[in-house]
């Protein structure tokens, strides 16, 4: 969206990949060695990428897309209350616009001659995100407030929830950590007691925990949300905007029951 044809993109953690637990390969070190700019999410999401930049002595421009954002903290969970930052800020379209600006600034630092090119593209991208943000709000507004609850695999949607007024419940933590039996039992009780119908698996998480939980709660899994990675080019979430529209479309239909 920002660089257009002025730079060649090499994506290390690609479609449908869990970037919390990514294993780099020698080909990734090679990609970094010949790069001018390295862009990562930051906020504890992709520490492996930072280590890769260190081990390859990367001397180019480093961009942390979440720089300057006010981050949410991980909700305390039994056995996991060390209070990490929540890295999933892209799930709020207004914060995604801040990512665009950080990337624009980084590209202009690395390639001053292209600054006007990056600015023009970033401004167009931010305008699209503002329209997307308004669309998400209008969609969520069609669901009665009491029905705005979604169950999904891992805690990836806190920023979405804070921005758009949806409550998310997940058995697995922010870093895709496995839940205890008590956490699963509690979630099953919540689904039954609140008659929650919006239950989803995710593209990057093993669906087994969620499918078992849905079976025990007596609800049907309503599809797959794209949490931390896009789909392949021929899938339903090949771009950021397609991902948001796909997720919101599924959530709104399922929340309405
Ligand atoms: Zn995640």
């Amino acid at each position: 969206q920002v660089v257009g044809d002025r730079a060649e993109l090499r994506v290390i953690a690609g479609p449908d990949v869990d970037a919390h637990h990514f294993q780099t390969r020698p080909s990734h070190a090679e990609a970094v060695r010949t790069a001018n700019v390295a862009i990562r999410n930051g906020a504890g999401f992709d520490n492996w990428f930072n280590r890769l930049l260190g081990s390859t002595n990367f001397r180019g421009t480093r961009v942390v897309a979440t720089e300057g954002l006010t981050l949410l903290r991980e909700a305390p969970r039994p056995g996991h209350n060390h209070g990490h930052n929540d890295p999933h800020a892209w799930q709020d379209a207004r914060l995604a616009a801040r990512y665009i600006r950080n990337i624009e600034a980084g590209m202009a630092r690395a390639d001053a001659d292209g600054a006007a090119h990056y600015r023009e593209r970033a401004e167009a991208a931010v305008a699209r995100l503002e329209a997307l943000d308004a669309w998400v709000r209008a969609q969520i507004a069609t669901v009665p407030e009491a029905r705005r609850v979604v169950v999904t695999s891992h805690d990836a949607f806190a920023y979405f929830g804070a921005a758009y007024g949806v409550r998310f419940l997940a058995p697995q933590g922010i870093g895709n950590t496995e839940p205890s039996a008590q956490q699963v039992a509690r979630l099953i009780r919540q689904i039954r007691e609140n008659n929650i119908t919006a239950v989803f698996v995710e593209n990057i998480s093993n669906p087994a925990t969620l499918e078992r939980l849905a079976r025990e709660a007596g609800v049907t899994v309503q599809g797959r949300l794209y949490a931390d990675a896009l789909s392949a080019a021929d899938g339903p979430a090949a771009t950021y905007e397609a991902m948001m529209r796909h997720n919101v479309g599924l959530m709104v239909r399922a929340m309405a029951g």
Side-chain angles (χ1 to χ4, degrees):
Q1 303 287 318
V2 178
V3 306
D5 56 10
R6 216 180 147 85
E8 179 199 334
L9 283 179
R10 295 172 194 161
V11 177
I12 292 185
D16 296 318
V17 164
D18 177 3
H20 290 287
H21 306 110
F22 189 71
Q23 299 287 329
T24 56
R25 294 191 299 273
S27 63
H28 299 135
E30 193 46 43
V32 166
R33 257 183 224 109
T34 52
N36 306 107
V37 182
I39 303 170
R40 64 191 182 93
N41 185 77
F45 183 61
D46 42 12
N47 291 337
W48 53 267
F49 194 13
N50 217 23
R51 287 194 295 273
L52 181 63
L53 297 179
S55 67
T56 52
N57 284 317
F58 181 71
R59 296 269 175 260
T61 303
R62 295 182 186 216
V63 179
V64 177
T66 52
E67 194 176 297
L69 270 62
T70 302
L71 298 171
L72 299 176
R73 302 289 285 178
E74 179 172 19
R77 305 170 77 89
H80 273 279
N81 46 4
H82 28 248
H84 287 133
N85 284 326
D86 181 339
H88 304 92
W90 63 85
Q91 289 290 351
D92 172 347
R94 289 187 181 180
L95 295 183
R98 304 274 302 279
Y99 280 46
I100 295 281
R101 292 301 192 184
N102 282 336
I103 293 166
E104 177 209 337
M107 290 307 300
R109 265 199 322 276
D111 171 24
D113 291 348
H117 169 86
Y118 303 127
R119 184 171 320 118
E120 191 182 318
R121 293 191 64 95
E123 270 162 19
V126 167
R128 287 194 297 276
L129 288 175
E130 283 166 0
L132 177 65
D133 183 77
W135 177 83
V136 174
R137 285 169 201 282
Q139 290 296 303
I140 301 297
T142 65
V143 181
E145 261 184 75
R147 300 285 313 156
R148 293 179 197 165
V149 186
V150 171
V151 175
T152 186
S153 294
H154 89 296
D155 267 336
F157 293 94
Y159 291 90
F160 185 105
Y164 304 116
V166 175
R167 200 164 145 237
F168 286 86
L169 305 171
Q172 286 158 260
I174 281 184
N176 241 337
T177 45
E178 280 303 319
S180 68
Q182 289 96 317
Q183 284 171 293
V184 172
R186 183 161 162 264
L187 193 44
I188 290 169
R189 213 161 47 239
Q190 279 177 297
I191 292 170
R192 285 193 183 133
E193 284 170 4
N194 300 300
N195 188 25
I196 296 169
T197 49
V199 178
F200 295 96
V201 293
E202 288 171 4
N203 67 320
I204 60 129
S205 303
N206 184 334
T209 302
L210 215 283
E211 280 165 355
R212 196 184 66 235
L213 185 147
R215 208 160 44 239
E216 287 178 32
V219 293
T220 310
V221 173
Q222 299 290 313
R224 174 182 301 162
L225 297 181
Y226 286 79
D228 293 15
L230 300 177
S231 70
D234 59 354
T239 66
Y240 176 81
E241 181 170 349
M243 174 196 78
M244 290 295 272
R245 289 185 185 273
H246 170 86
N247 286 350
V248 170
L250 283 184
M251 285 187 227
V252 165
R253 215 172 315 136
M255 287 190 293

